[in-house]
Amino acid sequence: MEAYLDNSATTQCFEEVRDIVVKTMMEDYGNPSAMHKKGVEAEQYVKDATEKIAKTLKVQEKEIYFTSGGTESDNWALVGCAYANRRQGKHIISTVFEHAAVSAPLAALEEQGFEITKIPVDANGILSMEKLESAIRSDTILVSTMYVNNEVGAVVPVEEIGKLVHEKNPKTIYHVDAIQGYGKFRIYPKRMGIDLLSVSSHKIHGPKGVGFLYVNEKIKIQPMILGGGQQKGMRSGTDNVPGIAGLGVAAKKIYEDFDEKIEQLKENKLYLAKRLQELDNVFINGPKPEDGAPHILNASFVGVRSEVLLHTLEEKQIYISAGSACSSHKRAASATMLALGVSAERRESAIRFSLSEMTTKEELDYAVDEIAKVLPVLRKFARH
């Protein structure tokens, strides 16, 4: 049996996504910028995907821009916004437990003279709203937070933040990294005060190498990729039609029967948490299972290094993650775990389980049963 429990790293494509990707690669393969029939056909796929995505967010189609994925969307939101608005100020606010796709460009902006303030979180990943409010100044041009922490599943109160930001300084722009939130929550940027929203396709059963950035039409943002003037001159380069078409299908499907699917995800996550907590020296990190995102659970198996457990389970065709899987193969101290104040012993033994609508209870039982078998052996080996 196989148990794939690493859906925050990537997801299996929907069959309908596979079909449209193949069709746009093998049959309707025109360049959407071309003026002939093949180009017009390809352009229609892009238009259809834009319409599907805009409907899920209740925004205008002209506010959706396609990118190469979540990292580009985050980089463009931060760097493009910072440089377009730097005459107003150079102060940017974020949090201590952002994904590297946000923290790295912020570090680069800091080197270029921007001032970055990072708001702390508590042991459950709860953001200090008081410190956020006091940090917003007249020269604060941008606030950037994630929607869901990718390692422990802590949920950030984005609607509350959006309201606070715009009340404290109406000129401040609010960016949300929704790469783990889109498809797990209903997100309506206009109502929630979100000006920029980053999304990645392969987290929602779409193809890799594509994503989008929602940009409120009222804000200023500079393009980062210049060239042939595609996407209204805001993001040049030939459109990735197969990826965009696949993303459109995935976006539509992920929100079909949404409430039922989310309830099933929550039920499976709570079931997994209950079974894991029956094992000796296993601790849940971050928010309580019932409080966090419906698909992410982080647990420490004290006495066994996470990499050892990961590779042992891999031999049983059980696939999990030691923290974030988005930073090549290098393993360093997790910024999230440090921010939450997790002890070194628990950090070194932390495993992330991430589910999808395709996850079954049989997979969860298989994974926990195998963990129960190998834990005593691995702990005994580690002591020696």
Side-chain angles (χ1 to χ4, degrees):
M1 184 176 179
E2 178 179 296
Y4 181 75
L5 303 174
D6 199 16
N7 289 278
S8 286
T10 198
T11 53
Q12 181 183 7
C13 280
F14 290 128
E15 290 183 5
E16 296 91 333
V17 169
R18 175 202 62 198
D19 293 344
I20 201 168
V21 167
V22 171
K23 192 172 191 296
T24 48
M25 292 179 77
M26 303 304 295
E27 296 176 26
D28 301 330
Y29 52 81
N31 186 322
S33 297
M35 297 178 69
H36 52 64
K37 182 184 177 185
K38 279 284 189 187
V40 173
E41 289 172 349
E43 185 182 21
Q44 190 59 48
Y45 282 101
V46 177
K47 288 181 177 178
D48 288 346
T50 306
E51 181 183 358
K52 291 183 178 85
I53 291 164
K55 280 184 177 178
T56 68
L57 299 171
K58 298 187 187 304
V59 299
Q60 300 178 79
E61 293 171 32
K62 65 181 180 180
E63 295 175 308
I64 301 297
Y65 296 91
F66 294 106
T67 67
S68 64
T71 295
E72 184 192 332
S73 293
D74 281 339
N75 274 255
W76 183 18
L78 298 169
V79 178
C81 186
Y83 275 89
N85 296 276
R86 57 185 163 177
R87 287 185 180 178
Q88 180 188 318
K90 287 193 168 185
H91 181 231
I92 299 171
I93 299 172
S94 191
T95 78
V96 293
F97 72 163
E98 295 298 315
H99 189 280
V102 166
S103 61
L106 286 179
L109 286 169
E110 192 168 31
E111 289 179 358
Q112 295 170 47
F114 288 84
E115 181 186 352
I116 313 298
T117 298
K118 293 186 178 181
I119 306 301
V121 295
D122 67 16
N124 294 314
I126 304 299
L127 189 76
S128 172
M129 295 297 289
E130 294 80 11
K131 291 186 178 178
L132 172 61
E133 183 175 10
S134 64
I136 300 170
R137 313 184 313 216
S138 60
D139 63 338
T140 303
I141 56 172
L142 177 66
V143 173
S144 177
T145 73
M146 50 177 42
Y147 199 121
V148 171
N149 181 270
N150 56 298
E151 288 189 51
V152 297
V155 181
V156 175
V158 295
E159 187 167 4
E160 190 180 341
I161 292 171
K163 183 180 179 183
L164 171 65
V165 167
H166 294 306
E167 283 181 352
K168 189 83 184 285
N169 185 349
K171 293 183 179 179
T172 301
I173 294 164
Y174 182 34
H175 165 247
V176 173
D177 172 352
I179 289 160
Q180 294 293 344
Y182 184 78
K184 306 301 186 298
F185 295 89
R186 296 190 189 276
I187 306 174
Y188 303 122
K190 304 287 187 187
R191 191 183 77 196
M192 300 168 82
I194 299 169
D195 301 303
L196 297 160
L197 187 85
S198 302
V199 173
S200 175
S201 165
H202 73 107
K203 311 295 188 181
I204 59 165
H205 307 282
K208 296 176 182 64
V210 64
F212 70 83
L213 180 67
Y214 157 75
V215 181
N216 185 306
E217 64 172 339
K218 295 179 181 178
I219 74 157
K220 290 194 298 182
I221 185 169
Q222 286 186 1
M224 285 179 62
I225 299 179
L226 306 174
Q230 290 87 349
Q231 300 199 65
K232 304 185 289 291
M234 292 299 291
R235 202 278 188 181
S236 292
T238 300
D239 292 326
N240 171 11
V241 178
I244 291 169
L247 168 54
V249 171
K252 183 174 185 293
K253 271 192 68 68
I254 203 73
Y255 279 103
E256 290 174 351
D257 303 316
F258 181 73
D259 293 333
E260 295 89 336
K261 289 190 290 192
I262 295 303
E263 281 307 309
Q264 185 62 52
L265 262 181
K266 289 178 179 177
E267 184 182 319
N268 281 345
K269 179 189 166 186
L270 290 173
Y271 178 74
L272 173 62
K274 179 176 178 292
R275 289 225 52 201
L276 288 175
Q277 288 173 310
E278 291 169 356
L279 306 177
D280 291 335
N281 285 325
V282 175
F283 303 92
I284 302 298
N285 298 310
K288 295 177 182 177
E290 60 270 23
D291 294 337
H295 62 304
I296 297 174
L297 186 72
N298 191 297
S300 289
F301 298 83
V302 172
V304 180
R305 292 186 65 85
S306 52
E307 294 91 341
V308 174
L309 182 55
L310 185 153
H311 291 303
T312 301
L313 295 177
E314 179 188 7
E315 295 174 3
K316 310 282 188 181
Q317 292 188 292
I318 299 166
Y319 302 103
I320 50 177
S321 176
S324 172
C326 303
S327 53
S328 75
H329 295 291
K330 297 176 182 177
R331 187 87 161 100
S334 161
T336 292
M337 292 299 188
L338 290 171
L340 268 59
V342 177
S343 68
E345 185 180 44
R346 282 171 61 169
R347 287 201 308 269
E348 291 170 0
S349 61
I351 291 291
R352 180 187 68 185
F353 299 86
S354 47
L355 319 182
S356 82
E357 64 180 74
M358 298 181 182
T359 305
T360 65
K361 273 192 176 158
E362 288 75 20
E363 287 180 276
L364 302 179
D365 280 330
Y366 174 60
V368 177
D369 289 345
E370 290 300 323
I371 290 170
K373 290 177 190 175
V374 302
L375 266 184
V377 178
L378 295 177
R379 283 173 173 150
K380 184 177 180 181
F381 180 78
R383 287 195 294 268
H384 290 83

